């Protein structure tokens, strides 16, 4: 899944305060805070509220991606069907 490029974006974390996104590799993002660099997983970091962005569009984008991901997982997990032993005996 391709995520929007957010390198250089200012974000906020409830524990570490404000920080800047310094690296993004696939679904992983590194944010530099005054307390040091911290790694987060996309889109979960935005969807679950670990990271907030002043750019409402980006935050909404990651929340939508997270919602779509959950919907996809729900429908991909289809129930498996067991073959009845009596069917096997008859054939």
């Amino acid at each position: 899944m391709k995520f929007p490029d957010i390198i250089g974006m200012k974000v906020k974390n409830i524990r570490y305060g404000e920080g800047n996104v310094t690296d993004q590799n696939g679904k992983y993002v590194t944010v530099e805070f005054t307390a040091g660099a911290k790694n987060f997983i996309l889109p979960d970091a935005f969807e679950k509220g670990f990271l907030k962005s002043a750019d409402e569009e980006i935050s909404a984008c990651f929340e939508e991606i997270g919602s779509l991901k959950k919907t996809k997982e729900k429908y991909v997990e289809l129930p498996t069907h067991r073959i009845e032993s009596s069917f096997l005996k008859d054939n």
Side-chain angles (χ1 to χ4, degrees), residues 6-77:
I6 59 171
I7 293 177
M9 177 184 286
K10 290 186 185 288
V11 294
K12 191 171 188 178
N13 175 274
I14 195 163
R15 184 176 192 182
Y16 302 110
E18 290 187 7
N20 291 314
V21 177
T22 58
D23 189 36
Q24 183 176 353
N25 186 5
K27 68 178 187 173
Y28 301 98
V29 66
T30 303
V31 180
E32 187 67 43
F33 297 100
T34 54
K38 305 295 178 191
N39 296 312
F40 296 90
I41 298 174
L42 297 175
D44 302 356
F46 286 93
E47 181 191 6
K48 295 180 180 178
F50 296 114
L51 293 178
K52 300 275 185 192
S53 171
D55 186 336
E56 295 291 327
E57 221 174 281
I58 292 291
S59 293
C61 176
F62 280 113
E63 289 172 12
E64 181 67 20
I65 291 170
S67 176
L68 291 171
K69 186 175 106 178
K70 283 182 184 174
T71 302
K72 178 183 174 188
E73 289 169 357
K74 179 180 169 183
Y75 289 103
V76 167
E77 294 176 10

Side-chain angles (χ1 to χ4, degrees), residues 67-90:
S67 176
L68 291 171
K69 186 175 106 178
K70 283 182 184 174
T71 302
K72 178 183 174 188
E73 289 169 357
K74 179 180 169 183
Y75 289 103
V76 167
E77 294 176 10
L78 298 175
T80 56
H81 299 285
R82 294 188 323 198
I83 299 174
E84 297 294 328
S85 60
S86 61
F87 175 78
L88 294 174
K89 291 177 186 174
D90 293 340

